[in-house]
Every structure is written in C-alpha cells, then in structure tokens.
Amino acid sequence: GIVINKHVDWASGHGIDVFFVNWPGIGYQDDALKYYFLEADLVKKGDIRFAILYETIWRLIDSHPGWNLSDRRNVEILENDIEYLNKNYLDNPSYFKIDGRPVIFIYEGKGMFGDISQIGKLKEKYNLFLISDHGHPLANPDDTFPRDNQLAIRWGDVAGMFDAIMPMGGLYDGFLWYMN
C-alpha cells in the first residue's frame, strides 16, 4: 500500500489525474487493482481517477489474426468481462467517466471484425464510453481487416463503433504492475 500511495501521490503532483489500468482478466492484476490501487488514499478521496484498459490480446480468442465478433465465444467473453467490470469497478466513485459514462479503453480495436454491432450493443447496455487505439496515418479508414476473409470489415466502420480513437504512441507515461 505504501508504494502505491507514493506513486499515486507523485503522479498527482505532476498533473496526472487519471490512470488507465491494464486489465488482462481476473488474476493477480485484478487483485492488485481491487485490493491495493483502489485503497490508495488519493484514489479513495477521488483525487485520482482510473479506467480499465481492456486487454483484447489476453482475453479474446485469436482468430489469426484479430478477434472475430461473429464468433459467439468472443461475444460471451466480452459480455462476461464487461459484466464483471460493471459489478466491480464502473460504479466506483473514482472511476473515470466522460459525459457520465464509464470509460473503457479497448486495446487493438482495429483487430475486431465480423459482427461489430456487438460493440454497440455492449456500449448501449452498460452506457459505456468506449475508446480504441489506431488513430494514426497507417490506420486507413478504407482498409479492410482481415484480408481475404468474408467477415472482413472496413477499419472506418469498426472505428465508428467507438466514441473515441486515440494514438497509442504517447498515451502512456509508463506501466506499473504490482505483485505480492
């Protein structure tokens, strides 16, 4: 607790007021978030807010390449994970919200294809503000992914399912993982 309190204090002293916390599923990182980070004084007081960075590469079934949202297994994983996050974090007073909606950053959203309407359904069900990455010149909106696949989707259509697209470069000041 002392180390996390100090790191949160240092961050707030340098103008950082939101942490995007890497969430690769239930396990040691989830425990560290729940039992240590959320117990940091400045987090409990609301001086520091947090949001989930959802790790698609650790959570969803790789369709080689990407994540097929026409595969019911991927949709079930997403639904179960967001339900878990909703029950455990999204109502926390320190959870970061935009326009009153809890923010979840979906890593590698550009790799999603197939039934991308599933993104919109989850967004609506949980009133989420979803952010993805790949806001850079190499992410051409007219590119389709994956190539030579009947379920391929234009990146512009996938991007349109999110509330915001951010570049990955420059988003992070650093990564912190805490383990007992």
Side-chain angles (χ1 to χ4, degrees), residues 6 19 62 65 86 103 117 143 148 162:
K6 193 61 184 169
F19 279 73
D62 191 342
N86 185 54
V103 172
S117 72
D143 286 350
D148 303 323
F162 293 92

Side-chain angles (χ1 to χ4, degrees), residues 100-161:
R101 296 161 49 205
V103 172
I104 296 179
F105 187 106
I106 305 288
Y107 181 64
E108 290 287 337
K110 189 175 188 289
M112 293 181 169
F113 67 96
D115 185 6
I116 60 168
S117 72
Q118 298 299 326
I119 299 166
K121 289 175 185 174
L122 290 170
K123 211 169 86 167
E124 184 177 320
K125 180 176 180 178
Y126 294 98
N127 192 33
L128 300 173
F129 189 99
L130 293 180
I131 300 173
S132 187
D133 52 354
H134 292 289
H136 59 74
L138 298 178
N140 181 338
D142 290 325
D143 286 350
T144 57
F145 179 82
R147 291 191 180 140
D148 303 323
N149 186 311
Q150 66 184 10
L151 297 173
I153 299 289
R154 282 182 62 251
W155 166 233
D157 294 333
V158 176
M161 300 302 297

Side-chain angles (χ1 to χ4, degrees), residues 51-65:
I52 298 295
L53 187 154
Y54 183 82
E55 283 285 1
T56 52
I57 61 174
W58 294 108
R59 300 302 305 148
L60 302 181
I61 297 165
D62 191 342
S63 301
H64 303 288

Side-chain angles (χ1 to χ4, degrees), residues 7-8 49 51 56 68 71-72 84 91 101 117 136 139 156 166:
H7 283 190
V8 170
R49 293 170 292 152
T56 52
N68 179 0
D71 182 335
R72 187 70 198 150
Y84 175 85
D91 285 334
R101 296 161 49 205
S117 72
H136 59 74
M166 296 179 70

Side-chain angles (χ1 to χ4, degrees), residues 1-99:
I2 293 171
V3 173
I4 291 177
N5 269 318
K6 193 61 184 169
H7 283 190
V8 170
D9 182 48
W10 285 337
S12 68
H14 290 281
I16 296 171
D17 61 358
V18 177
F19 279 73
F20 280 85
V21 180
N22 182 38
W23 194 81
I26 299 170
Y28 81 90
Q29 283 181 261
D30 184 63
D31 287 346
L33 171 60
K34 206 180 291 180
Y35 302 118
Y36 297 101
F37 181 79
L38 294 183
E39 294 301 314
D41 295 334
L42 293 172
V43 175
K44 287 198 305 192
K45 287 179 14 184
D47 293 341
I48 290 284
R49 293 170 292 152
F50 74 100
I52 298 295
L53 187 154
Y54 183 82
E55 283 285 1
T56 52
I57 61 174
W58 294 108
R59 300 302 305 148
L60 302 181
I61 297 165
D62 191 342
S63 301
H64 303 288
W67 300 276
N68 179 0
L69 296 184
S70 291
D71 182 335
R72 187 70 198 150
R73 297 172 299 169
N74 275 331
V75 174
E76 286 175 11
I77 292 167
L78 268 171
E79 286 181 31
N80 290 337
D81 286 351
I82 290 176
E83 177 65 27
Y84 175 85
L85 295 171
N86 185 54
K87 285 181 181 175
N88 289 278
Y89 301 113
L90 304 186
D91 285 334
N92 184 297
S94 294
Y95 198 88
F96 180 52
K97 295 179 179 172
I98 296 176
D99 295 331

